[in-house]
Amino acid sequence: MKKTITRREFLKKSMTGAGLAIAVMATPSGFKILSAEEVRKEPPSFSPSVWLHITPDNLVTIVVNKSEMGQGVYTSLPMVLADELDADWKQVRLKVAPADKKYNDPAWGRQLTGGSTSIKHMCQPLRIAGAAAREMLMKAAAEAWSVAEDRCEVRKGVVEYAAGKKQLSFGKLVSRASRLPVPQSPSLKKESMFTFIGMPMARLDIPDKTNGRAKYGIDTFVPNMLYAVLSRPPSYGAKPLSFDKDAAIKIRGVHSVVAIPRGVAVCADTVDAAWKGRDALNVRWDKGVDPNLSNETLDKAFTADLAKKGLIGKSSGDFQKAFEKAATRHEMIFDLPYLYHATMEPMNCTASVRKDRCEIWVPTQFQTAVLGLTEKETGLKPEQISVHTTYLGGGFGRRSEVDVVEEAVQISKVIGKPVKVLWKREEDVKNGFYRPGTSTKAAGGLDEKGRLVAWFHRIVCPSIFSRAMPAAMKNNIDPAAMDCLSDLEYEVPNLEVEYVRIDTPVPVGFWRSVGASHNGFTIESFVDEMAHLAKKDPLEFRLGLLKGRKRASRVLETVAEKAGWSKPVRKGEGRGISWVLAFGTYVAQVAEVSVDKKSGSIRVHRVVCAVDCGPVVNPAILTAQMRGGIIMGLSAALKERMNFSKGGVESSNFDDYPLIRMNEVPEIEVHIIKSTDAQSGAGEPGLPPIAPAVANAVFNATGIRIRNLPMLPDRVKEAMGKA
Amino acid sequence: MISLIINGKSHKVDVTPDVPLLWVIREYLKLTGTKYGCGIGMCGSCTVHIDGKAQRSCQISAGDAQGKKITTIEGIPEDHPVKKAWIKEQVPQCGYCQPGQIMQAIAFISEKPDPTDEEIVSAMNGNLCRCGTYPYIKSAIKLAARGGK
Ligand code: FES
Ligand code: FES
């Protein structure tokens, strides 16, 4: 496991004069840079977010406050700092920040990895920290040699004088440097001076991940720990009526049975004993809150709500009037399913709760929530709680929830021993916070010239934010349900966007790209249908609605050019285009598909993607995130759907919730736009455009519009039969 | 007592023979490179070599694995061409599925040193990767098959 350091250890190490330590704090008037000494003197409310420590052993240690779930932050964040510092990449080490408000994201005031924000929020403070330390090291060297500072240079972790006449490594300079005042406005590099930023640097985590050494939450072992597994309600809200504690205890290795709000836990010396104990428990459950809940009841509820008037999320002009007057009118309904995150590492957490201390090992995206929950459950103070963030075997938003932490802390508290709570895949599938299912009604009106003059978009969607972050609700409107709609770039004179909140027992949460994953589909399908109705090329039609929207037009034009949009498609194939702005990043995609007329199965042959996320830190990681997003989005578009029956979740494992496999993965080309616009993220925005690009391509190939996801062969076949 | 030969070492484990080999490897012997993903043979995260063949360790009991030569990701040398190709092509994202992918790929290449694209797909199709590293896996296998060039 990556060793985490506590603030205390960090300060102790740096206070003993062992090296140079720098912290950066966000203040309303900009970033403040501090030495370890100054950090010690600051009031407890003080919250610096970047820690850099250069030690006499010539190592540069960067504390990373973001969770590594595959998106590459353990590489990209150190790169940014190391570049400004002019460190040698080989001397760079990273430490994973413990959960502590000192390591809060400066923009959020929370320790949370999500929303494709790691680079956007951390780049500036990291650069400043590196630049400040670099200036101090230069000054220290100049002092040591009694030469002018401007004749010194830093190269690969070494300060040089007069083109190499004198040289001192960082390690040799830190003790002198640490006695210097910390510069408050160090100058940052110009792009032309970057050594790492913009380069496809190899990821620091890959050797461990290739050799089976990377430690995930599930790989945690603590002395004397027990395994805890839960028997869980089969239907939403069900409570246990009875269970056979004695039968479970009789199993060799079973230690105890503990009922907690989320289920009945069996604790045992070994994981197999815990499972056997759970089987023996034989819990009888009551019927839960909605025993009839099923796909059918949910469909009915969504459809019923689609007829209701919603809250106005956005409007301009007068939709109704314009629609009535329109030369051509078109209406459509889209139904999208609940989706499961399917992190390859199932939920797990190890907790050791003692009277005066608590220690937690967990693959989490949301350290602040882990800490808050643990304080509440144990009554301990934050300084008595240590949270170790392990590697995350996938996150995708699922690990911003702390349900499994609650289980581990509650159980450990009762039994007074460390426990590792381990979910089987079936539990993971059935106990998710799913991407909301949605129903959307869209209507568009064209004038005689085929211009889109009226647009209505009503979405029925469960609310994520009302549970997860109620403060973010805006006039009872969930901002996630309005993704891509509230900041719609298409220019339409008469627009009305409505939101109908539907409440069902099914928990919903943040799923990679959140609302863009459904609204991206409905918007880009709608626009494509309207383009066809207007007898216009889908690309031209879009560009016509995006006049003056430079970045959107540019990704579309780029993707079209790279995909050969103007050239005819191969015989029997279809081509579709789409673009989505999500989390500040513009992504456009073209998909080439063919459809097997007999089976209705869709084959995606090639995807071309263009991305503009502003200045790029690591193009290799960006490309991998685009590809990964496209593949996950394609999996959802073609295959994924949560099924519900008998008041709960019916889906159970990868046999009935299939994910895309290698045989269905197309060639994917990624083109990065050289951009000086605002920097934004890469983890999520690659996902939303693929479903509409494929659906639009299917239309191009077959003349069939697929408005419901997933695009299962049966559905496609049925639609073709009707046409 | 079960006795298992893993990575050339023999281990005596106090476990009932019906427990899947996966859990014995991971939770008893703490060779945690082998991962749990589904427990039903659908994901390949738990892939190990048994007598040189790629097998799902969640689908074989510890009892049945006795006396067989078991190799896990930890038993593959770091300079193995497949591991080297994985690093060169920068395959892993979250990395969780990767030990299984690598074990599958090694067994496959040893049988088919010069695979076609279709052969790669059919050999690797049982291994899921939620992060979508499939294109990188494909290139790494081709690179390893070409002897790293
Ligand atoms: S855990 Fe064995 S195949 Fe999934
Ligand atoms: S790398 Fe994350 S599941 Fe494969």
Side-chain angles (χ1 to χ4, degrees), chain B residues 22 35-46 56-59:
Chain B
L22 166 66
K35 297 299 193 230
Y36 164 71
C38 68
I40 59 166
M42 293 293 294
C43 78
S45 301
C46 63
R56 308 292 184 239
S57 63
C58 71
Q59 295 299 295

Side-chain angles (χ1 to χ4, degrees), chain B residues 30-52:
Chain B
K30 302 186 183 172
L31 290 166
T32 52
T34 305
K35 297 299 193 230
Y36 164 71
C38 68
I40 59 166
M42 293 293 294
C43 78
S45 301
C46 63
T47 305
V48 299
H49 295 169
I50 298 181
D51 292 335

Side-chain angles (χ1 to χ4, degrees), chain A residues 213 216 227 272 425 661, chain B residues 27-28 36-37 42 78 94:
Chain A
R213 285 192 301 258
Y216 299 83
Y227 290 86
D272 46 293
R425 176 60 60 191
R661 295 176 182 275
Chain B
E27 306 297 326
Y28 284 75
Y36 164 71
M42 293 293 294
E78 285 205 25
C94 87

Side-chain angles (χ1 to χ4, degrees), chain A residues 332 334-336 518 520-529 532 538 542 565 573-578 589-595 602-604 606-607 633-634 636-638 687-712 716 719-720:
Chain A
M332 59 210 92
F334 302 95
D335 285 317
L336 275 69
H518 45 77
F521 179 72
T522 60
I523 292 170
E524 283 302 292
S525 297
F526 166 82
V527 170
D528 213 77
E529 295 208 26
H532 180 70
R542 284 174 172 82
W565 184 259
E573 288 187 10
R575 191 155 54 197
I577 193 165
S578 79
Q589 290 165 13
V590 166
E592 293 174 4
V593 312
S594 56
V595 181
I602 297 167
R603 174 97 217 160
V604 182
R606 177 177 174 235
V607 175
L634 191 57
L638 298 179
L687 190 150
I690 188 63
V694 169
N696 296 338
V698 168
F699 172 75
N700 186 238
T702 63
I704 302 297
R705 282 288 176 190
I706 307 287
R707 301 195 186 104
N708 300 342
L709 296 181
M711 296 179 246
L712 298 171
V716 177
M720 285 194 300

